[in-house]
Amino acid sequence: MKRLLTLLCACCFAAASHAQSAYVPTPDNLRAREAFRNDRFGIFLHWGLYSMLATGEWTMTNKNLNYKEYAKLAGGFCPARFDAREWVRAIKASGAGYICFTTRHHEGFSMFDTAFSDYNIVDATPFGRDVLRELAEACREEGIGLHLYYSHIDWYREDCPRGRTGLGTGRPGTEVNWESYYAFMNNQLTELLTGYGPIRAVWFDGWWDQDQNPGFDWQLDEQYALVHRLQPACLIANNHHQTPFPGEDIQVFERDLPGENEAGLSGQAVGELPLETCQTMNGMWGYKITDQEYKPAPELIRYLVGAAGRDANLLLNIGPQPDGELPAAAVERLQEIGRWMAVYGPTVRGTRGGPIGPRPWGVTTQRDDRVYVHILDLQDRELFVPLTGAKVLRAVRYDDRTPVRFRQDDEGVLLRLGEVPDVTDYVVELTLRR
Ligand code: GLC
């Protein structure tokens, strides 16, 4: 028995390492990774039938809503104020480089025109419009990258294997059928990757639903291979809260910057792939009518800068309303971030994490011979930056180009600011000798 187990493990290991060596990203994929990293800022959009209930995207399972009753929401879903161009323009003006749209969340409703289920925004609602098509067109027009969120779990379909969520939605246990559910997902992914132009990333979510069932096989290798076969440049992200699996192109973190773990989902090591942290603007992903506690714009800007200083992108979420509009509080924040980005954008976009790791006072970013010292929290007129190994030729305040006095020795650079920083992000640009 033991020998059999060892043999089995050896086979599994061989299969895993085989899969690992099997995926070689194409040159286009590698270029897409760099373009993704250059953006540094994207907007997440959680929109589905759940927006009508206005208590977040988990309501169906949290309240054990019956799947047939829940589905009736579709008959009343008519987001008459939806205007893809308006969304995309507002997002672009914030300085974001891409959107990530929920094509099908855990509730199981498809927000695009799919031939593989009538439970979708075109066939099941009076609205009858393919919002994804409209978004894809608007993104193309505005030069904004399009990423697609795709849930691995489904609380509506009878064939979806049960994990630890969606158990109270009233579906008969007799109809579970992994083969049919897996084929359904792959058929939908094929539609998404062949019918909407270039998709820069697919963002999977829900793997963790089977984390108490370690024998469960999501057959990700084959699914990832399908995505990469259809669009080799398409980046694969998976919000599984683990170190990346073979075949993935991005490492994502939920509600925490890489290296931090306050929300409890991010203990995993930070790897070599491009990084992305997703975070909410208020406290919920899907629209929640009672949650008006939007983080102030300066806090969001500092979070974005904190991500950039950790060489990561920020994917900042908005939960659109059931009428098709973005909440006014979210739009205001987009505008405020946009005003900041109009001045400081180049210290974030197109940069990489700087030579000095995060410090209590802030972070650094870098592009070529320029290092940007982002001072986020300092009660002093001077700042010592432990930058060694490169001579600093010049130091200026980024926004008004006034020179900053400095002294450099073997230990680093002492910046004499002459004032205590009192702005959202006090940026000093250092020019290094090459
Ligand atoms: C979690 C939630 C999901 C949300 C996602 C965004 O996985 O289950 O509702 O879409 O986080 O990061």
Side-chain angles (χ1 to χ4, degrees), residues 128-362:
R129 280 161 52 187
D130 184 348
V131 296
L132 180 61
R133 180 160 312 288
E134 295 178 26
L135 276 171
E137 275 161 21
C139 284
R140 208 163 25 248
E141 277 171 23
E142 297 290 332
I144 287 279
L146 179 60
H147 297 195
L148 304 181
Y149 172 106
Y150 192 80
S151 173
H152 270 132
I153 52 180
D154 190 308
W155 298 326
Y156 171 79
R157 285 182 68 94
E158 296 179 347
D159 59 357
C160 178
R162 309 297 192 269
R164 58 176 163 81
T165 67
L167 300 179
T169 66
R171 293 167 295 169
T174 48
E175 303 306 311
V176 172
N177 182 338
W178 165 250
E179 282 73 33
S180 101
Y181 180 63
Y182 185 63
F184 164 74
M185 288 196 289
N186 290 341
N187 284 331
Q188 284 209 316
L189 288 165
T190 303
E191 290 181 311
L192 291 169
L193 289 157
T194 54
Y196 296 89
I199 301 302
R200 201 174 58 181
V202 174
W203 209 96
F204 289 107
D205 189 23
W207 177 93
W208 35 259
D209 196 44
Q210 295 288 351
D211 56 9
Q212 286 157 13
N213 181 8
F216 188 86
D217 182 5
W218 286 101
Q219 294 182 242
L220 293 179
D221 285 350
E222 212 180 308
Q223 194 163 63
Y224 288 177
L226 170 74
V227 171
H228 284 140
R229 196 163 57 245
L230 294 170
Q231 291 202 24
C234 181
L235 307 176
I236 293 180
N238 191 330
N239 187 33
H240 43 47
H241 311 141
Q242 310 290 310
T243 49
F245 299 160
E248 295 172 4
D249 306 293
I250 299 175
Q251 181 175 13
V252 295
F253 294 83
E254 180 175 341
R255 289 181 195 260
D256 260 307
L257 296 174
E260 298 185 336
N261 188 16
E262 281 170 34
L265 300 168
S266 307
Q268 65 277 25
V270 181
E272 295 298 313
L273 294 178
L275 308 172
E276 180 180 62
T277 282
C278 59
Q279 181 57 279
T280 53
M281 261 199 203
N282 51 1
M284 190 55 94
W285 303 101
Y287 178 60
K288 184 174 175 189
I289 198 164
T290 53
D291 185 355
Q292 294 303 322
E293 293 212 8
Y294 280 74
K295 298 167 187 76
E299 188 180 328
L300 296 172
I301 291 165
R302 290 193 181 115
Y303 207 76
L304 168 61
V305 170
R310 288 165 179 81
D311 205 22
N313 287 22
L314 172 63
L315 180 61
L316 183 61
N317 183 74
I318 297 175
Q321 295 169 175
D323 65 356
E325 288 193 330
L326 304 177
V331 174
E332 279 162 27
R333 275 144 189 88
L334 287 179
Q335 289 165 346
E336 269 191 74
I337 296 171
R339 279 194 286 276
W340 185 86
M341 286 287 263
V343 178
Y344 297 93
T347 70
V348 172
R349 295 192 68 159
T351 67
R352 297 292 178 265
I356 310 299
R359 291 288 189 279
W361 50 260

Side-chain angles (χ1 to χ4, degrees), residues 39-43 88 90-99 143-145 314 334 337-338 341 349:
D39 282 346
R40 287 278 97 128
F41 180 38
I43 294 291
V88 172
I91 287 166
K92 186 179 179 183
S94 76
Y98 61 101
I99 66 170
I144 287 279
L314 172 63
L334 287 179
I337 296 171
M341 286 287 263
R349 295 192 68 159

